[in-house]
Amino acid sequence: MATKVAVIGLGYVGLPLASLFHKSGYDVVGIDVDPRKIKSLDKGESYLSDFTDKEIKKLTSSKRFSYTTDFQSIQTASAIILCVPTPLKDHQYPDLSYLESATHALLPFLKKGQLVVLESSTFPGTTEEVLVPLLQKSGLIIGEDLYIGYSPERIDPGNKDFTLAEIPKVVSGVTDRCREKTVSIYEKAFHKLVPVDSPRIAEMTKILENTQRLVNISFMNEMSQVCHQLGIDIWQVITAASTKPYGFTSYFPGPGIGGHCIPVDPLYLKWKANQENLDTPFIDLAKQVNDAQPSYIVSRLEKALSKEVKNPSILLIGLTYKKDVNDVRESVSIPIMEQIIDRGWSVDYHDPFMEDILVKDKQFKGVQLEPDILANYDAVLILTDHSHIDYNHLVEHSKLIVDTRNCIKGHYPHVIRL
Ligand SMILES: NC(=O)c1ccc[n+]([C@@H]2O[C@H](COP(=O)([O-])OP(=O)(O)OC[C@H]3O[C@@H](n4cnc5c(N)ncnc54)[C@H](O)[C@@H]3O)[C@@H](O)[C@H]2O)c1
């Protein structure tokens, strides 16, 4: 019988990971508390944009893959991998309630010799200060009876350039033996492992990666405002600067940063630093710039509209937080849509990944991009650059376009770029 891996939380991280472990020859059980996810798997329907229904059916019909809401099934697993959400409480503090509740659910079923690995993004110290004490309640001795590791998830949903297995995997353990156990499970699934000395290093690695993105993208948003004011095309500036063979890394402006990771993880670090009486001015400023971006975008839209248009109708292109995913968590398209509604303007959206959405108590259904439909809107505001939208078609049939993602190539009098 193959070694069994249990994956707890079958979302954007857990399901692809479960699928990779399955492909690597393990028996896999996926556990999720959300009955809708279990029902979708029962029906062979994908709830993630990176999986087709066919791929889900293939996975769920395998004898080596099962899924359930019942934690009892971890009893026969050699490794248990936690992929539960780590959101914010009150928009600013770490919310570890999902991690705590999943860990509590494991306790009655843990067995000697098992490995528990946390993959959720979180502040440095979580594994040793939160997970270890919780798991010690099992009575098992950590490093002798039960092994604990931390391996940050680096998946980039929607990115077709790297498969999950190709992304180097940072791995760590609470003790040397814990790290060895983690390596032994992960090395069969990933092409390259990057073992580090402690869970804190692995936790900080992930947060550093995402904080660097928050700070640099926010900086580019500031630069785009400066360039706009000075009449300079920021996109040409970045293209030219990126020809420097060293010392410049390209980051791009946009409508603001969304998703479950980049706007969230730096605040986990900020909270931890604040606990140690340290300030994090870069994170604070980056957050402030990012939070102000939706208002800036709406003000640019307002300036672009002719003064004669009294109650403009706006079509948003893209609601999800980034291209080619069906995830609207923390998406800036939502506050932008809310601000447009607050101005009394009319708004619709088109997003191939989002059939409908509730915003400000109103149910919106995505519209199609037929020429006569496009012609009805006073402006089209591009917020997410999904791959399979025909941008030339938008140029041809729209009265005015505000493009926050530089996805329209060429210069047109009715197209305004950020
Ligand atoms: N989405 C990404 O691109 C991404 C990338 C890297 C890291 N991460 C991190 O990975 C973690 C998971 O993120 P995600 O995007 O997969 O979230 P998600 O919401 O898509 O998936 C989490 C799943 O966990 C389930 N769950 C919640 N509580 C549970 C419990 N007690 N027991 C079992 N299942 C439970 C939820 O029902 C959900 O299906 C987060 O820490 C996130 O920051 C996410």
Side-chain angles (χ1 to χ4, degrees):
M1 219 175 70
T3 304
K4 183 168 162 184
V5 172
V7 176
I8 317 296
L10 295 175
Y12 287 92
V13 162
L15 190 61
L17 191 70
S19 164
L20 174 60
F21 278 118
H22 174 262
K23 260 191 216 135
S24 313
Y26 289 108
D27 271 358
V28 174
V29 58
I31 301 178
D32 202 294
V33 290
D34 181 357
R36 287 168 307 175
K37 291 213 165 67
I38 302 296
K39 215 175 191 177
S40 293
L41 294 174
D42 279 340
K43 288 197 214 153
E45 285 173 3
S46 176
Y47 48 83
L48 298 182
S49 30
D50 284 347
F51 282 89
T52 61
D53 289 354
K54 202 172 154 201
E55 286 166 325
I56 291 293
K57 281 188 188 115
K58 193 169 168 218
L59 180 66
T60 53
S61 60
S62 163
K63 284 199 176 61
R64 288 189 295 103
F65 183 81
S66 59
Y67 51 93
T68 175
T69 53
D70 184 359
F71 279 76
Q72 209 167 326
S73 52
I74 66 143
Q75 288 181 107
T76 48
S78 300
I80 299 147
I81 302 180
L82 292 159
C83 304
V84 292
T86 44
L88 292 170
K89 228 185 309 185
D90 302 331
H91 304 290
Q92 49 186 335
Y93 306 117
D95 175 2
L96 294 186
S97 60
Y98 298 91
L99 172 59
E100 286 160 359
S101 100
T103 311
H104 274 294
L106 295 179
L107 285 177
F109 308 113
L110 286 172
K111 294 273 175 287
K112 202 171 166 174
Q114 285 179 321
L115 167 73
V116 178
V117 181
L118 176 61
E119 288 236 357
S120 305
S121 311
T122 182
F123 56 81
T126 307
T127 305
E128 283 153 309
E129 294 160 17
V130 180
L131 189 60
V132 166
L134 283 174
L135 289 172
Q136 275 169 334
K137 291 185 182 165
S138 65
L140 297 166
I141 297 173
I142 310 303
E144 288 180 27
D145 301 332
L146 185 70
Y147 304 98
I148 302 178
Y150 179 80
S151 178
E153 181 54 59
R154 289 166 138 180
I155 194 170
D156 185 14
N159 186 337
K160 303 258 181 287
D161 294 340
F162 306 96
T163 63
L164 185 52
E166 285 166 344
I167 303 169
K169 194 82 173 110
V170 175
V171 287
S172 68
V174 168
T175 64
D176 288 348
R177 188 81 191 104
C178 292
R179 190 182 56 240
E180 284 159 24
K181 284 272 184 187
T182 310
V183 166
S184 74
I185 290 289
Y186 278 76
E187 67 186 359
K188 291 190 188 70
F190 288 86
H191 298 187
K192 184 176 178 190
L193 296 189
V194 185
V196 294
D197 280 358
S198 68
R200 267 163 218 276
I201 293 175
E203 289 157 342
M204 185 66 197
T205 302
K206 173 71 190 178
I207 299 254
L208 176 66
E209 290 164 8
N210 282 357
T211 304
Q212 189 197 55
R213 285 189 70 72
L214 177 74
V215 168
N216 283 287
I217 298 170
S218 295
F219 171 67
M220 277 304 165
N221 283 335
E222 182 182 297
M223 288 302 101
S224 87
Q225 295 190 23
V226 171
C227 282
H228 173 64
Q229 206 57 35
L230 299 179
I232 298 166
D233 180 342
I234 180 83
W235 303 97
Q236 282 198 47
V237 173
I238 297 169
T239 307
S242 64
T243 60
K244 187 178 176 181
Y246 52 87
F248 181 83
T249 306
S250 302
Y251 289 90
F252 300 97
I257 303 158
H260 184 42
C261 296
I262 298 174
V264 174
D265 298 353
L267 299 187
Y268 269 61
L269 182 60
K270 173 186 164 58
W271 176 85
K272 184 66 178 173
N274 292 166
Q275 298 292 299
E276 303 290 329
N277 295 319
L278 284 172
D279 291 332
T280 51
F282 270 104
I283 295 175
D284 299 347
L285 186 58
K287 178 172 162 38
Q288 190 187 316
V289 172
N290 194 47
D291 289 350
Q293 197 66 3
S295 303
Y296 174 69
I297 298 297
V298 177
S299 73
R300 287 287 304 272
L301 174 65
E302 189 166 26
K303 281 195 191 113
L305 284 158
S306 155
K307 297 264 179 299
E308 278 117 62
V309 183
K310 287 298 165 231
N311 291 304
S313 56
I314 312 296
L315 178 65
L316 306 182
I317 302 292
L319 284 190
T320 64
Y321 81 93
K322 71 167 180 170
K323 73 194 260 185
D324 302 342
V325 300
N326 63 349
D327 191 350
V328 281
R329 285 178 294 181
E330 319 290 332
S331 173
V332 289
S333 298
I334 307 306
I336 288 173
M337 196 167 174
E338 287 170 345
Q339 288 194 25
I340 291 173
I341 295 168
D342 287 345
R343 280 169 198 240
W345 303 351
S346 81
V347 65
D348 285 311
Y349 80 90
H350 170 83
D351 191 319
F353 292 91
M354 206 45 57
E355 213 171 293
D356 47 33
I357 193 156
L358 188 71
V359 179
K360 288 208 150 228
D361 296 327
K362 190 176 165 199
Q363 192 71 32
F364 289 85
K365 201 165 164 40
V367 301
Q368 295 308 310
L369 300 180
E370 305 301 335
D372 54 332
I373 296 179
L374 280 170
N376 276 334
Y377 293 98
D378 296 306
V380 170
L381 174 61
I382 301 175
L383 296 173
T384 316
D385 48 343
H386 290 308
S387 298
H388 42 276
I389 287 176
D390 182 348
Y391 294 101
N392 291 329
H393 175 80
L394 291 185
V395 171
E396 200 177 326
H397 298 288
S398 311
K399 287 182 197 154
L400 168 71
I401 298 178
V402 176
D403 177 7
T404 67
R405 298 280 188 178
N406 193 30
C407 44
I408 295 190
K409 303 301 167 210
H411 293 277
Y412 304 91
H414 67 303
V415 176
I416 288 165
R417 286 191 289 177
L418 199 58

